[in-house]
Amino acid sequence: MNALMDAVRAGRTAEAVSLLDEMTDAERRAVFGELKALRKKLRAAPWDAGSRRAYPPLYVAGVACQTGAAAVAAWIAAADMRWSRTSPALLLRILGDRDPKWLADVTHRLAERPASSGVPYELMAGLVRLSGCPVPTTDAYVRGWLGHIGATWQREETVLDRLRQDPYLPQLVATLFETDDIGGFFGWLAGDGPNSWYGALSQLAAEGTLDRGAMIDACVARLLRGGTTADQRAFLRLLKDLSLTAEEQRARIADWLALASDAVSPVASYAQSVLGALALDGGLTPRQLAEMSDAVLFRPEKKLVRAQLVLLGKILTRDASTAEELLPAVAQAFGHEDSEVQERALKLVERHLKKVESADVRAELASAADQLIPALRVRAVRTLGAEQAGPEPVAYAEVLPLAPEPVRLAPAPETAAELAEEVGALMAAEGDVATFERALDGLVRHAHRDRDALLEALTPVVARRWWNSTDPRYVMRADDHFGRADRIYDAADGLDLLLATLHGRVHTATLLRSVQQGTAGTACVHSPLSRAFEARLWEVSYRLRTEPLPFLLSTPTWSTGLLEPDELVDRLAEYVRLGARVGEADFAQAVLRVRREDRAAAETAAERAAALGTTEGARLARRLTHRGPDLPVERRRTSGNRILLEYGELPELQEDFPAEFRPLGRPVSVYRERWYCYHWSGDIRRHWLALLPERRELVAVRLLRDVSTAAVDDARGAAAFLPLLAESGGAAGEAVHLCLAYGLGARHPEDRLAAVDALLTLAARGQLDAARLGADLGQLIRRGAVKPVRLAESARTAAATGANATVWEMLRHTLPVLLAELAVGGANTPARGLGDLLAVAAECAERCGARGELPHLAQAAQRRGASRLVSQARRLRIALTLEPREIVNSLTKGA
């Protein structure tokens, strides 16, 4: 047994296998305890330790020396054993002499493990052969089978050849259709051409090796079940490759109807094409076609809706008797969000209305016309006999969300155990400003009150932190890590610094050096924000080691970061009573956060602060009574196709502030500042906003280029902070509105949605300058920084909430810039997407009752052709300039 352990420790796998072959079952069981102890020791060893060579023989020996099926399966699938790189063939040799029933148990236990466990398919398949058990149908086994069959690059066989040789082919193919979320993986492996999965399965079905009817049913059932687009595309491709006959298509009409109604767009399009072909061949009854149309015409995809209207037009032209069944279905499109779809449907109804004899059907069509846009509704009054709208229009009411209210912070946790729970949760997931500030204040309070109790409560929290290691190299690495000026990437890193300081992992000299020297070496456009944020953390860490603070002065009162002035005065008074020394960075942060908007409350608090007779009290009093400008002088600059801002100096933030806070008041330059740096974490931006909760412009100007990448460079997540920017305090000026403009033109939907949230929040708070925002958007589109089609999506989303007047006021200042370019035929004419913008503007104008002239709109409306741009320009012009009677006259002349 000692010889076996020596061979395992030395990494001699072949010798270990030879020794295991000579051992009895009793001897193997006896040595397993030592193998288990060695495994535990290896887990704690450094990753680069030479002892890692012991893993391959340890893996094999652990499998051989256990008798329980569950224990062997757990050993094989263990995460730490993946380092062994042991071949499945060797494990199969070790297990080959076991009882088949026992092997079957191990097989199914391994197959039931998640695919992420990495159990080799070759091992599971080999155990199936050895045991003679039924083939597993689990996710891990099916995924392994797919990868194994598809790895034809390893040998000269094709996918078709390997499938023909598989004895379990029918069972595994059937399971493929039942496995959740397998389509994406299957589609990625399937490939194209003659050596693809699709071609192979179709060939096997055609020659009878696989049941063709069962495969078609399984494909259709999988598509009916739904799933991700990638999943659905894979099984749709297989269904198409099976090349269904007309009889097979007719046998599944109910399925095609369901797919056309509810499936993802590619599947619905295929189902629509199948049903369309059947309808044109007489395979669908008018009632079935009407049922299909009722579903498809409610879908948002314009391509599907237009194709359905074309199909209905062909059927109506061919067979007049279908009009009374189909025209009410056509009228469903009167309520579509796209006005061009509405117009197509109305034209179709008008063209075939004479074929309808039923008064009830005509009344139904006239009633459906109420859903049409105003211009088409007036036309329907003349052609369908719809009711004329009342002379007095219903007053429009703008619908905006409730303005978000800041939440008052709860006091720091009373007990160390409660604090440890909050800190642990905060380290595991990103927390908001309130959670972070409560945890920070709690650590300071409990370290001052009872350091030993705090350390004991934090034991489970820090147990798995990378810096909490007994290895001397990690201790040195922790001090070196935190000693670097650019190591606080986000709030979690700041908490790590405090926790490592409390546990003695950072030297006092390192902390003192960081407090004295700051982070001036990491200059970039964001560094004034990061330096001020980090300065407080370094100071708190240093004071934890040398002179603990009783509590923080800078803990905000509200979730936005604002601090009530009377509360700060109370804290200063308590410091005086305790004889505690105020932290410079802590007090500077408190002064930046103190609320001055309520002038009466600020002046009362200033009197109390001055009465304290301390330096900090006098500084606070000056701050609260300061009457100077809150924002510096600004200037617009361009950089490529971007519009950016420069800010001048703000002397107020230069006086009485520590060195690490003074850069907040220094100029911001477009060309001198470094924009690309390590400040990529989105989490840290919410804390920068809480740094200056009444001066969000000073934060926005330094994040402006970052958020511009969401539109210009298609970056993801760059606009995620915009809702917090809208909820913050202070003036919403040039920087805030430019940030919002870039967000509305972002590439990714989640960024655009964040920008829409910010837009609605500013509007609800009465802080949105729609004219400024609209003009900015016009210039950004003209320069190519924002694409019109993306802005149209954002505007449509905002309008859908009920903010039609807000969106119209914005677009009213965007469109003239673009229409002017169009009128003169400028090189930067943004024709693509302009029609979509005009459509959103027209809908908003119709809903909110906007009137008046829009510069250059008449020229666009008078252009030749029937493009979307021209048709929507005409629609908008009618909505803005003509009264209902004039609309009738214009349409009559047009007719």
Side-chain angles (χ1 to χ4, degrees), residues 874-885:
R874 292 170 182 168
R875 174 189 174 189
L876 178 57
R877 188 185 180 203
I878 289 174
L880 291 177
T881 61
L882 300 182
E883 296 300 326
R885 184 177 299 279

Side-chain angles (χ1 to χ4, degrees), residues 99-171:
D99 179 70
K101 291 184 178 179
W102 185 90
L103 287 173
D105 191 5
V106 172
T107 303
H108 285 279
R109 288 179 183 274
L110 289 174
E112 288 168 0
R113 294 268 175 168
S116 58
S117 297
V119 178
Y121 166 78
E122 292 78 5
L123 174 61
M124 293 187 287
L127 289 172
V128 169
R129 290 193 300 271
L130 288 174
S131 65
C133 68
V135 63
T137 56
T138 64
D139 178 80
Y141 196 90
V142 173
R143 288 178 183 272
W145 174 69
L146 287 173
H148 174 73
I149 295 294
T152 56
W153 57 272
Q154 296 176 340
R155 56 188 74 180
E156 295 181 357
E157 297 172 310
T158 65
V159 169
L160 181 60
D161 294 336
R162 301 188 80 173
L163 287 175
R164 280 178 172 151
Q165 297 167 17
D166 195 317
Y168 305 105
L169 177 64
Q171 299 98 306

Side-chain angles (χ1 to χ4, degrees), residues 596-880:
R596 299 188 300 167
E597 186 179 17
D598 185 344
R599 298 309 307 167
E603 290 174 3
T604 301
E607 293 177 3
R608 291 183 56 211
L612 293 175
T614 64
T615 302
E616 290 77 20
R619 285 175 55 191
L620 177 58
R622 288 197 299 272
R623 166 71 173 173
L624 291 172
T625 56
H626 179 74
R627 295 287 186 176
D630 285 337
L631 296 175
V633 177
E634 64 189 31
R635 181 174 62 166
R636 286 198 168 207
R637 299 294 294 271
T638 59
S639 177
N641 57 355
R642 289 174 168 88
I643 298 175
L644 301 174
L645 284 180
E646 290 186 334
Y647 267 2
E649 192 168 25
L650 192 62
E652 179 193 349
L653 295 184
Q654 305 292 305
E655 303 166 357
D656 297 333
F657 278 93
E660 292 299 281
F661 286 78
R662 291 172 191 163
L664 291 171
R666 290 176 186 157
V668 179
S669 170
V670 169
Y671 300 113
R672 289 198 304 269
E673 304 279 9
R674 183 159 61 92
W675 291 85
Y676 301 101
C677 55
Y678 69 89
H679 298 111
W680 49 266
S681 171
D683 172 58
I684 198 65
R685 291 171 180 168
R686 68 187 69 187
H687 298 280
W688 287 347
L689 285 166
L691 183 75
L692 294 158
E694 276 194 334
R695 297 187 182 185
R696 56 183 160 192
E697 279 284 299
L698 295 181
V699 180
V701 73
R702 296 184 180 277
L703 296 178
L704 183 53
R705 184 181 285 266
D706 294 339
V707 73
S708 73
T709 62
V712 178
D713 303 320
D714 295 349
R716 186 187 296 273
F721 74 98
L722 289 178
L724 294 176
L725 182 66
E727 293 174 24
S728 192
E734 291 277 353
V736 169
H737 282 81
L738 271 173
C739 284
L740 182 56
Y742 283 117
L744 291 172
R747 161 66 176 82
H748 297 285
E750 59 269 32
D751 284 310
R752 295 199 298 271
L753 187 59
V756 169
D757 286 344
L759 171 75
L760 297 175
T761 297
L762 287 173
R765 298 180 69 185
Q767 298 170 339
L768 179 68
D769 187 340
R772 168 186 283 174
L773 177 61
D776 286 345
L777 284 165
Q779 293 301 325
L780 290 174
I781 293 174
R782 192 179 67 82
R783 298 180 64 85
V786 167
K787 292 180 171 56
V789 68
R790 296 177 184 173
L791 175 58
E793 286 296 322
S794 297
R796 185 176 293 111
T797 302
T801 68
N804 293 284
T806 299
V807 174
W808 163 247
E809 184 64 19
M810 176 184 75
L811 294 180
R812 187 170 71 87
H813 293 85
T814 302
L815 290 172
V817 179
L818 310 181
L819 294 172
E821 283 283 318
L822 189 68
V824 300
N828 297 324
T829 303
R832 185 175 182 274
L834 182 53
D836 294 323
L837 265 184
L838 287 165
V840 178
E843 182 173 352
C844 290
E846 291 164 353
R847 290 183 182 276
C848 69
R851 292 290 185 270
E853 290 290 338
L854 191 70
H856 310 292
L857 178 62
Q859 294 93 315
Q862 292 167 1
R863 292 165 67 95
R864 293 182 178 181
S867 67
R868 181 169 177 78
L869 189 155
V870 174
S871 65
Q872 295 303 321
R874 292 170 182 168
R875 174 189 174 189
L876 178 57
R877 188 185 180 203
I878 289 174
L880 291 177

